[in-house]
Amino acid sequence: MSERNMRIAGIGCGPMGALHYSMIGKIPGLELIALCDIDKNKLSQLADSLGVERKFTDITQMLDEIIPDAVAVIGPPALHILVAEACLERQIPFLCEKPISLTTEDALRLERLADKYGDCGQVGYTSRYSPAQRLAKNVSRSAEFGKISYVATTHLTCSNLGTTSFWGTATRAEGLIHAHGVHAIDLWRFLGGDPLTVSASVTGDRADSNDGFISVLAYVQTADGPHGIIHIKESASHNGDINSDIMGEYSRVCVEDNKNVRYERYGGRDGDWVRNAMANDVLGNGNDIVLPDQPIGYFMGHGLQSQTYEDYFRFEWIAFAQSIRSGKPFAPSVKEGCKTVYLTNAIIESIKKGGQPISVSYS
């Protein structure tokens, strides 16, 4: 693609759509040229506020009429499936909000389409674009860190699901897992690999019914790598905090609230190697990492403390655009997003079976 503006069409005009489209407007080289939604009032209000002239209520009409360079898919999972199929068949790159589907069957169908037409989609797991999480992963991959033995990810969230299920899920617990918990699930895969077995449970005030705070705890194990936990918890005092903890043979690195990075070298041994590991290009776009003299304890990369929730969306859009222009694979791709669906549904199946260990199939 030439260096002209990348023409992007947006599908879905709810609050999350407004957030994504505002990010597009802040990135040089990206241009929002059309919006689509079946709700004409939402469509007109958002299009007018963003200065977008082309408005559609039919997805295929928009795709075939304007033939955009890329598509933003921002809505419920049923919409994700519909648009992902249309974009894959037309080989139009698309960035899709998470999860790409709720069911394993739909994910398998999307994988087959990605194999047939090419995997031209990216799934919106924003924690992968947290500089702190990427920094922690870089550190943990150093030979000096040692073999990774344990990974834990936690998502603490104020519930906005109300007192009913979400997206048509059977229980609030399932809605919480699909709507919020998938961030912790996908982050575990990003940091620790693909678990082959999972055992999960739900606790909390009437957690199996449609009210009360919910806590989901899943124990996961890879084939020959780390084991660990995925914790998804409603909280009255937190909103979207995502934490991780990676333990190796010689060291440990933790991320708190997607911003604070703590590194600990067991026994206080020299940590010079960390300077090189952390100085690697965290986001792949030339960000410098500012290191303290003392690597033990807390340290922050340049600007980590000032990062906001919205910044992660901006980072993923930058990466998405770079993949289109360079021809490099999208990350996480459609097929990667489907793997997170498989692990998510294995967790739900284990809960339904009273914590019974479940084998996870990724195809």
Side-chain angles (χ1 to χ4, degrees):
M1 178 179 292
S2 67
E3 291 304 311
R4 66 171 173 79
N5 280 353
M6 189 177 296
R7 301 161 54 255
I8 297 173
I11 300 175
C13 292
M16 287 301 296
L19 174 59
H20 276 273
Y21 307 145
S22 69
M23 291 300 105
I24 293 172
K26 296 176 182 178
I27 300 172
L30 303 188
E31 180 183 2
L32 185 66
I33 62 166
L35 288 175
C36 180
D37 199 292
I38 58 173
D39 187 321
K40 292 183 178 180
N41 289 331
K42 286 184 178 180
L43 173 62
S44 294
Q45 289 175 7
L46 186 56
D48 291 346
S49 70
L50 296 172
V52 176
E53 295 184 1
R54 304 295 300 275
K55 293 173 281 192
F56 296 84
T57 57
D58 183 272
I59 294 169
T60 56
Q61 179 188 359
M62 182 181 74
L63 296 179
D64 293 337
E65 185 172 321
I66 67 173
I67 313 177
D69 297 320
V71 174
V73 190
I74 318 297
L79 176 67
H80 300 172
I81 294 292
L82 178 66
V83 182
E85 289 180 337
C87 288
L88 286 168
E89 290 170 353
R90 291 167 174 78
Q91 300 180 48
I92 299 175
F94 63 98
L95 193 155
C96 178
E97 253 296 347
K98 55 76 190 168
I100 197 165
S101 76
L102 293 183
T103 70
T104 296
E105 293 74 20
D106 284 338
L108 287 169
R109 188 167 75 254
L110 289 178
E111 270 210 271
R112 288 193 291 269
L113 287 174
D115 285 334
K116 180 178 180 180
Y117 296 107
D119 195 337
C120 60
Q122 179 173 311
V123 184
Y125 287 110
T126 53
S127 289
R128 293 195 182 211
Y129 288 95
S130 157
Q133 301 290 2
R134 296 174 77 88
L135 183 58
K137 182 174 181 177
N138 282 356
V139 170
S140 71
R141 266 47 182 184
S142 167
E144 293 292 335
F145 193 82
K147 183 178 180 180
I148 299 173
S149 59
Y150 175 86
V151 176
T153 58
T154 303
H155 189 187
L156 303 174
T157 179
C158 286
S159 175
N160 61 358
L161 304 183
T163 58
T164 61
S165 62
F166 197 62
W167 288 335
T169 55
T171 65
R172 284 188 68 249
E174 290 185 32
L176 179 72
I177 293 169
H178 280 298
H180 298 301
V182 287
H183 284 297
I185 295 169
D186 185 77
L187 182 61
W188 205 102
R189 293 189 54 246
F190 179 64
L191 299 175
D194 289 332
L196 294 185
T197 60
V198 58
S199 177
S201 61
V202 176
T203 59
D205 181 18
R206 289 180 287 179
D208 294 326
S209 66
N210 283 332
D211 54 10
F213 285 117
I214 294 170
S215 177
V216 176
L217 192 63
Y219 296 88
V220 295
Q221 175 69 62
T222 58
D224 56 0
H227 68 98
I229 62 171
I230 300 169
H231 191 193
I232 306 157
K233 185 178 181 180
E234 288 181 304
S235 169
S237 58
H238 296 271
N239 188 16
D241 291 1
I242 299 178
N243 308 324
S244 64
D245 187 353
I246 310 172
M247 295 183 183
E249 288 180 88
Y250 314 116
S251 306
R252 178 181 184 181
V253 62
C254 307
V255 176
E256 298 170 349
D257 191 20
N258 253 354
K259 295 179 182 179
N260 300 317
V261 184
R262 178 165 57 87
Y263 167 73
E264 180 182 2
R265 179 77 167 173
Y266 303 146
R269 292 169 56 187
D270 182 76
D272 285 344
W273 65 271
V274 177
R275 289 179 173 81
N276 292 328
M278 291 190 297
N280 286 340
D281 189 1
V282 175
L283 284 175
N285 60 4
N287 282 10
D288 293 325
I289 300 300
V290 178
L291 301 177
D293 293 332
Q294 175 55 267
I296 304 298
Y298 278 88
F299 58 80
M300 276 73 76
H302 176 66
L304 290 188
Q305 279 293 298
S306 63
Q307 300 299 335
T308 66
Y309 175 70
E310 289 78 11
D311 283 328
Y312 307 142
F313 291 90
R314 180 167 57 87
F315 295 152
E316 73 172 348
W317 270 102
I318 291 172
F320 176 67
Q322 288 175 343
S323 292
I324 294 174
R325 294 193 186 280
S326 68
K328 293 181 179 179
F330 297 101
S333 64
V334 169
K335 296 179 74 171
E336 277 293 299
C338 289
K339 286 185 176 182
T340 297
V341 173
Y342 304 145
L343 178 55
T344 300
N345 284 322
I347 290 172
I348 292 173
E349 183 180 355
S350 178
I351 290 172
K352 290 179 177 179
K353 294 183 177 180
Q356 176 181 324
I358 300 296
S359 297
V360 187
S361 174
Y362 291 99
S363 60

